[in-house]
Amino acid sequence: AEHRLPPFLIPPLGTERTQTGTMRSRSQLPLLAAAAALLAALGPAALPSHEALAFAKKSKFGKPKVLYRYGEYELKYLPKGPGKGPTSHVPRLKIMKIPPKAMSFSGLSGSVESDLDRQLLTFPITTHNTAGLQLRFPRFNGALKISATDPPASLDVDEAAKAVEANYDQIVSGVGEFGVQLRSNGEWGASFSRQVEDLGLLRTTLNSHFDWSADLERTYPAVVKGVVPTVNYGATQDGMRVKAKFDRSFADKGVHTSYTMQNLAGKYAPADLMHEARAIASLRGGRLTATSSYDRRYSKVPVRGSLAYAAKLRAAALEASVDFDRLRLKASARGVQVTAAIGTKASLDDAKAGIRGRPAELELKVGKVSASAKLREGKPRVRLDVGL
């Protein structure tokens, strides 16, 4: 009598197709041949009896069970195999890739903001509170973010309305990434992005006010003297927009430069164009970044510039930057981060507000807990953030 080889003896990896269409491992062909000869010699006695099959179904071995896991794979016990023949009831062991979880916790955050006075003591009634929850769906390549805002009761009725917002992103293989945003006040938004072959990255958006946008970003091969251009072609309900960026690196000198020029949608006059030039130089133990920009929307002077330096000193990291409006310092070491910023000039109406009429900010972050304070007109504004 002819007997087919039980499925648990058929290896899933490193196989070759036989004349009958089944798959066999080249390295285990002698073992399979010996097993087939043994089954042929034993005949019907090699198959499990009806009593044994009934006992297997009633016992604890009648359900699939994971015996061992290593990395992305698991060894699983299967009480039966595919098909309806006698050999389908033979228990077997199978190495399988661990399937992604249907849902996993990604993060939880919350914040409290208030003036530094008695309002802070009457939390949460008189403070501005926010909370956020992030969930991931690895099996479906999706992510969900839910956030809620609870303003202080001291505000007007229109301003004190509570709000809940949900954002869901879904990646569809071969199609692209979809995004949906919903708010409790009835507003909504939708987005779609996809990497189009031979064209570039396509991004589109639409919201409940029927404001829409469509952008195609494409990076071209290097042109003159190693300059790499990246152009973004876009359109909105207000008109067309274009953003062109040119990058060039000097690897031997450790310098990277870029120049960006763009226009706002519907504004095409040369005076309305926005420009930005940036140079990044790698120094011993640090990095120096210089940026200059031109934008007519800036107040008083349409030109701005900034200079930033970042360095690593053993277990600590230091950053310092200065621009048209403020001076900023940041130091971090072993999970602790301290940041301080102060205005470059006394711009507050009250000379005693802030620090001698200059707006200032302070922040202390330990792990995923941070506390910050803003010093401006009136009482200091404090904020506490917690993340898990």
Side-chain angles (χ1 to χ4, degrees):
E2 296 181 359
H3 299 282
R4 304 186 65 179
L5 191 64
F8 71 94
L9 291 176
I10 300 178
L13 301 175
T15 59
E16 66 177 7
R17 187 173 299 277
T18 62
Q19 295 179 355
T20 58
T22 59
M23 305 298 290
R24 298 290 187 270
S25 174
R26 297 178 180 178
S27 61
Q28 297 187 9
L29 285 177
L31 176 61
L32 299 179
L38 178 60
L39 289 176
L42 294 177
L47 300 177
S49 63
H50 295 286
E51 293 79 3
L53 295 176
F55 174 78
K57 290 181 180 181
K58 295 180 180 180
S59 66
K60 62 180 180 180
F61 299 104
K63 297 181 180 180
K65 184 178 181 180
V66 177
L67 302 179
Y68 183 74
R69 286 185 175 179
Y70 181 79
E72 299 181 353
Y73 294 89
E74 62 184 8
L75 178 63
K76 195 171 186 180
Y77 165 80
L78 302 176
K80 60 181 298 183
K84 299 182 179 179
T87 57
S88 64
H89 298 280
V90 178
R92 67 211 62 221
L93 299 176
K94 188 175 182 180
I95 299 178
M96 304 174 60
K97 190 172 184 178
I98 300 176
K101 295 181 179 180
M103 184 180 68
S104 63
F105 174 79
S106 180
L108 181 66
S109 62
S111 67
V112 178
E113 186 176 355
S114 172
D115 291 336
L116 190 58
D117 56 9
R118 294 181 179 180
Q119 291 184 357
L120 189 61
L121 301 178
T122 55
F123 163 83
I125 301 176
T126 57
T127 58
H128 188 278
N129 313 305
T130 61
L133 173 65
Q134 299 180 18
L135 299 175
R136 296 184 63 84
F137 305 93
R139 189 174 300 178
F140 312 104
N141 290 329
L144 175 65
K145 297 180 181 179
I146 302 176
S147 60
T149 303
D150 182 20
S154 59
L155 296 179
D156 296 336
V157 177
D158 296 336
E159 297 179 353
K162 299 180 180 181
V164 179
E165 182 177 350
N167 296 266
Y168 182 77
D169 296 319
Q170 176 70 54
I171 300 177
V172 180
S173 179
V175 178
E177 181 176 356
F178 296 87
V180 178
Q181 303 86 38
L182 300 175
R183 292 180 60 88
S184 56
N185 59 1
E187 296 181 352
W188 56 268
S191 61
F192 171 76
S193 63
R194 178 181 179 178
Q195 187 70 35
V196 182
E197 187 177 0
D198 297 333
L199 288 180
L201 178 61
L202 175 66
R203 298 187 300 268
T204 60
T205 62
L206 176 67
N207 60 24
S208 55
H209 301 287
F210 294 100
D211 296 331
W212 59 271
S213 66
D215 293 271
L216 179 64
E217 183 179 293
R218 181 175 181 179
T219 300
Y220 294 89
V223 289
V224 181
K225 295 183 179 181
V227 178
V228 179
T230 301
V231 183
N232 185 95
Y233 309 92
T236 69
Q237 70 279 351
D238 298 324
M240 304 292 292
R241 62 185 181 188
V242 177
K243 179 180 178 181
K245 183 179 180 181
F246 305 90
D247 293 272
R248 185 181 180 184
S249 296
F250 301 87
D252 55 339
K253 299 180 181 180
V255 177
H256 177 84
T257 60
S258 66
Y259 169 73
T260 304
M261 179 179 61
Q262 61 180 322
N263 75 297
L264 295 175
K267 295 186 177 182
Y268 312 109
D272 293 329
L273 295 178
M274 296 176 291
H275 306 264
E276 180 184 274
R278 176 172 299 181
I280 302 175
S282 298
L283 306 177
R284 291 184 178 180
R287 183 180 69 248
L288 181 65
T289 304
T291 305
S292 62
S293 60
Y294 171 86
D295 191 341
R296 291 185 62 184
R297 295 177 298 175
Y298 292 148
S299 60
K300 298 181 180 180
V301 182
V303 179
R304 293 288 188 273
S306 65
L307 191 64
Y309 179 75
K312 290 185 178 181
L313 304 175
R314 295 183 180 180
L318 301 177
E319 293 184 19
S321 63
V322 59
D323 55 25
F324 184 83
D325 298 315
R326 67 175 184 173
L327 172 66
R328 184 172 179 267
L329 299 175
K330 183 172 72 171
S332 59
R334 298 181 179 179
V336 180
Q337 179 178 297
V338 180
T339 306
I342 187 173
T344 55
K345 57 184 179 179
S347 59
L348 302 179
D349 297 333
D350 187 358
K352 297 181 180 180
I355 299 179
R356 295 184 178 182
R358 302 185 181 190
E361 298 179 10
L362 300 173
E363 182 182 13
L364 173 62
K365 185 176 182 181
V366 180
K368 295 185 178 182
V369 179
S370 64
S372 60
K374 294 182 179 180
L375 307 178
R376 297 179 181 272
E377 291 93 350
K379 299 177 182 180
R381 189 77 174 175
V382 296
R383 179 185 176 97
L384 177 65
D385 293 88
V386 179
L388 299 176

